Every structure is written in structure tokens, then in C-alpha cells.
Amino acid sequence: DRLIIIYCLVGSLLILLAAGYFAQRNAVTQAKARMQGTLAFQTETLKTSLEKYTVLAALISRRPDIQLALRANNPLDILPSANELSLNFIGISGANDIWIADQHGQVLRKDQPAEKTTNIAQESYFITAMQGSLGRGNVVTKAGRRLYIIASPVFHKNEILGVVVVRLNLEYLEQVLLLLPDPILMIDANQRVLLSSIRPWRLRYFNYDVKNNSFTGKTVNHSKSNTSNNNFQSKGNLIEKVSRSSDSKLTFKKALRNKEGRVFLQVSQYVALLDWNIYIFVNYHAIRAQRNNAVLITFLELSLIAMSFLMWRAHQRRLLKEQRSQLAFSLRLERQVRDRTHELIASNQQLNVE
């Protein structure tokens, strides 16, 4: 019996370990499938929301008054005012601002822009537009405003006269991310978090490169990036370490809330059009809870099985005891009958002799 109990305990322990392992694998698989579906949908939504403004930039670049102003000696005398552009385009398009720049990158405005920038000649999106292509980029202003930039060249007889710059406020896109059940963030080419559903994550550096399995720090290279900083000081790194068992399991420096862990499972996707990476996360606290629930249910099932076995075992022992008792009674009765029979036979023989 003792050996049977030891075997049962060892077997139960192995079953609990297997249940926890497969429950965690199943939870991770389900979480990744859900994250990949959400990621694909959010990626397409993001590209659609931003790329529709390329049409707006192209339409403005074809306006005769803008082309005439960029060919004139005094373009401000002909150029539409910022208020006029705001009334005609910004209000109906949702754009944050529209700038007109000449061939030298000088911003041409009759009134003072909200940002004090007057020359964008060094910006990568302006350089791309002056080469005849559609320029894209993102800017974080000194005030911490996050903007997406679309720059369209202004052509006139195969000559580029200047650039139309459409500036979009990314905070409006962030409102949709707040509705998602799982944390999500979008980083630029400099590994800086531009958009996130978690406020403390914004404008930090996602300092871990999952593909190369290495920490990246927060080095900014403007020569290879379409991103501008405008001297904005970001808030530091976001990732503390990565799991040795899985490169998709990251540990953040701070928890989202006091009662939640800092370990997250991540799925990412690169958006070549924007030169962004989009990451979506699931807190490992939920995965562990699902694993623990599976282990608890398995433990309860094993307990019920063990109780049933013990009850069956006790019942079998009781039946065996009753059978042994009946057998002993039968043997004792048979022996008594046999002894009594011998006595009667002996008595009869004695009577016959007499």
C-alpha cells in the first residue's frame, strides 16, 4: 500500500507539471493568435488613416495660386494665408497644419506658424520631396507634440518649385488605441515610442532589438532616419531585460499598475511604408493565471479521482473482510459438524459393542 501511495503521488505530480506546461503553451498560442489578428487590423487602419493625406498634399501642390506664388519674386503677396488654407483644407481633412516651403526650405507664411520653425531644408522629408518623390516623416516638437509629416513636391514644367507639407497630429490616432484590451505601441526608426495606449510608455525608447537579440540604447542617427527630434528630451529606456527562454518575453522597467507584473509577451510587425515597428503585448500575469487555473482544476480532478479510489479501496477491503469472516465462520462450523459427527459415530460403535 505504501508503494502504491508513492507511485500515485509521483504520478499526480507529473500530471500537474504536464497540465501546467501545456496550459501555458495553449495560453501563449491563443494570446499570440489574438495579438497577430489585432496587429494586422491596426496596421492596415494606421496606413489607411495616414496615407489618405497624400491625396490632400498632392491636391494642394497643384493649386494654381501656390504654383504662381512659388514662381513670383514676392511669393507672400500671392500665397494663400494660413487662415485660408485652414478654412479650405485643415478643417475638413483633420490635418494639424499645412506649410508651403520654397526650393530652399524656407517656410512661406503670411502669419506666424504655431511652431517657430522657419526653415526645413535639413529635414529628410523635404529632401525626398525635392528629389521628386513623396516625403514622409515624423516630428516630436519641443513641447512634446507628435506629428506625422507628408511632403509633396510642387511641379511646374518638370521643375520643382517647392514643397507642400501636411502635418498631422498623431494624438488623434492614439484615441483608437485606448480602446484595445492589450497594450500597444508604435516606434519610429530611432526606437522611440510615438504612439501607445499606455501613457507612461510614450516618448520612451524601446531599447531592445528582438530580431538581433540585443539592447539598442537610444542612439539617434538622422542620416538614416526620416525622423526629427527638435531637441525634445525623451523619457529614457523602456525595456529592462529579455527572457532567456523566449525572445518574445520582455520585462519592462515599471509595471502598468502596482498589482500587475512587468513581464509581457510581445508580437511585432514592421511597416515599411512608415518605417515604423508596431508592437502589441499581453501581460504574462494573465497567462500565468490561466496556467494556475488549469493546474488547480487538474488538482481538483486528481483529488476527486484519489478520493474515489480510496473509497473504492475501503469498500473492497470491507467486502474482503466480510468474505474472510464468512469463510472463517463456514470453516469453523464445518469443523464443529465434522467433530460432532465423529463423536456420534464413536458413540454408536460403543453402543453396538455393548
Side-chain angles (χ1 to χ4, degrees), residues 118-351:
T118 57
N119 194 291
I120 57 174
Q122 301 301 319
E123 301 292 345
S124 59
Y125 58 83
F126 175 79
I127 296 173
T128 301
M130 288 302 297
Q131 293 172 352
S133 302
L134 190 68
R136 295 183 178 88
N138 44 268
V139 172
V140 179
T141 66
K142 293 181 180 180
R145 297 172 61 206
R146 294 154 292 163
L147 304 175
Y148 184 73
I149 307 297
I150 296 176
S152 178
V154 180
F155 287 97
H156 179 72
K157 296 181 179 180
N158 297 325
E159 180 186 1
I160 299 178
L161 302 177
V163 172
V164 173
V165 178
V166 178
R167 295 154 51 92
L168 314 172
N169 194 340
L170 292 175
E171 294 180 1
Y172 295 113
L173 298 178
E174 208 167 39
Q175 302 301 320
V176 180
L177 304 182
L178 299 176
L179 303 177
L180 298 178
D182 299 320
I184 187 172
L185 59 83
M186 302 177 185
I187 67 173
D188 60 18
N190 295 321
Q191 296 292 83
R192 183 173 52 191
V193 179
L194 287 177
L195 299 175
S196 176
S197 57
I198 307 301
R199 183 178 296 275
W201 291 2
R202 299 168 190 169
L203 297 179
R204 290 183 177 271
Y205 282 93
F206 190 77
N207 56 308
Y208 188 79
D209 186 357
V210 177
K211 292 183 180 179
N212 297 324
N213 196 29
S214 62
F215 286 92
T216 61
K218 54 177 183 178
T219 303
V220 178
N221 187 351
H222 289 289
S223 62
K224 297 182 180 180
S225 172
N226 61 353
T227 306
S228 298
N229 277 334
N230 289 356
N231 298 322
F232 180 79
Q233 297 296 325
S234 293
K235 303 176 182 178
N237 294 335
L238 190 62
I239 306 301
E240 179 178 328
K241 64 180 180 179
V242 66
S243 172
R244 295 181 179 179
S245 60
S246 173
D247 60 1
S248 62
K249 187 177 176 182
L250 306 177
T251 300
F252 285 69
K253 286 192 173 182
K254 294 183 180 180
L256 298 183
R257 299 176 182 85
N258 294 332
K259 296 183 179 180
E260 292 188 0
R262 298 181 293 124
V263 183
F264 287 82
L265 184 72
Q266 64 88 20
V267 172
S268 63
Q269 182 171 338
Y270 175 68
V271 184
L273 183 65
L274 306 176
D275 197 18
W276 289 5
N277 281 284
I278 304 178
Y279 292 82
I280 189 168
F281 303 89
V282 167
N283 197 321
Y284 237 83
H285 178 77
I287 295 176
R288 292 194 185 102
Q290 189 171 344
R291 177 200 62 192
N292 295 339
N293 291 336
V295 172
L296 178 61
I297 292 173
T298 304
F299 174 76
L300 294 176
E301 292 176 347
L302 290 175
S303 300
L304 291 175
I305 293 174
M307 291 177 61
S308 301
F309 174 76
L310 292 176
M311 293 176 63
W312 175 82
R313 185 76 173 170
H315 180 67
Q316 290 297 110
R317 287 181 177 179
R318 187 171 60 253
L319 289 178
L320 183 61
K321 185 177 180 180
E322 291 177 356
Q323 290 176 359
R324 288 177 178 177
S325 177
Q326 291 178 358
L327 180 61
F329 176 77
S330 299
L331 292 176
R332 186 170 59 252
L333 182 61
E334 183 179 354
R335 185 171 59 252
Q336 291 177 356
V337 170
R338 186 171 59 251
D339 294 342
R340 185 59 179 166
T341 301
H342 286 301
E343 292 176 358
L344 291 174
I345 292 175
S347 297
N348 290 332
Q349 289 177 350
Q350 184 66 30
L351 289 174

